[in-house]
């Protein structure tokens, strides 16, 4: 009789323990190699802008000449490009002036002409500045002022 009571108590204790363990594991999410906690978003680096002093150039056409006043800000891909442009700023300004002076006054007044001008300026400015082996990486050329008079 005592053996029967002890057996019943052991079976009941094992059952209660197994049930408690089951509910405990069910309420706590399991973490394993397949399940990962959501990672904190990595903040993206902010844009790097390099403003240039405004430019004033004379644009010549077959029968007229006009004045172009333009302020430009360059968006660069990395800090190395910003530093490189700062070190070579006289050359940067010279390249921009030379490129601007080749433009037609009628072409730069159209949206397509301005888009083409941004592309040509980026291309001219990305050429390496000697003795550097590579030029800056320019993401965009932005006009912050643009007047043809």
């Amino acid at each position: 009789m005592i053996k029967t009571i002890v057996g019943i108590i052991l079976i009941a204790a094992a059952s209660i323990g197994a049930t408690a363990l089951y509910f405990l594991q069910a309420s706590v999410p399991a973490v394993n190699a397949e399940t990962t906690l959501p990672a904190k978003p990595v903040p993206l680096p902010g844009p790097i802008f390099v403003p240039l002093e405004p430019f004033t150039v004379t644009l010549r056409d077959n029968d007229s000449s006009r004045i172009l006043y333009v302020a430009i800000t360059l968006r660069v891909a990395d800090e190395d490009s910003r530093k490189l442009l700062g070190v070579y700023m006289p050359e940067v300004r010279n390249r921009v002036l030379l490129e601007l002076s080749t433009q037609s006054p009628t072409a730069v007044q159209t949206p397509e002409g301005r888009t083409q001008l941004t592309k040509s300026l980026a291309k001219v400015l990305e050429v390496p500045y000697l003795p550097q082996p590579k030029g800056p990486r320019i993401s965009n050329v932005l006009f912050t002022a643009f007047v043809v008079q």
Side-chain angles (χ1 to χ4, degrees):
M1 176 94 158
I2 292 185
K3 287 184 180 181
T4 307
I5 295 175
V6 171
I8 292 173
I9 292 174
L10 285 175
I11 291 174
S15 176
I16 291 171
T19 304
L21 183 62
Y22 173 78
F23 283 116
L24 182 64
Q25 286 182 346
S27 67
V28 176
V31 177
N32 58 30
E34 295 176 12
T35 307
T36 59
L37 298 175
K40 292 182 182 179
V42 176
L44 298 174
I48 302 172
F49 293 108
V50 179
L52 304 179
E53 293 292 321
F55 297 88
T56 304
V57 295
T58 302
L59 303 179
R60 301 203 188 280
D61 210 352
N62 293 337
D63 55 342
S64 67
S65 67
R66 305 197 72 184
I67 301 295
L68 171 65
Y69 172 84
V70 63
I72 298 171
T73 298
L74 304 174
R75 183 174 182 170
V76 295
D78 52 32
E79 189 63 28
D80 290 339
S81 295
R82 185 194 63 76
K83 288 178 184 176
L84 185 67
L85 289 169
V87 169
Y88 288 93
M89 188 54 70
E91 260 188 85
V92 169
R93 290 191 56 79
N94 182 58
R95 289 181 186 186
V96 171
L97 281 169
L98 291 175
E99 187 63 29
L100 290 174
S101 66
T102 65
Q103 302 301 307
S104 161
T106 54
V108 296
Q109 292 183 42
T110 66
E112 297 83 16
R114 289 181 187 174
T115 301
Q116 183 58 40
L117 179 56
T118 61
K119 290 177 184 176
S120 65
L121 285 170
K123 185 177 178 183
V124 164
L125 294 173
E126 285 182 331
V127 173
Y129 296 87
L130 297 177
Q132 298 299 319
K134 66 178 188 168
R137 293 183 6 210
I138 297 174
S139 305
N140 204 354
V141 175
L142 307 163
F143 296 122
T144 54
F146 198 98
V147 179
V148 178
Q149 195 171 21

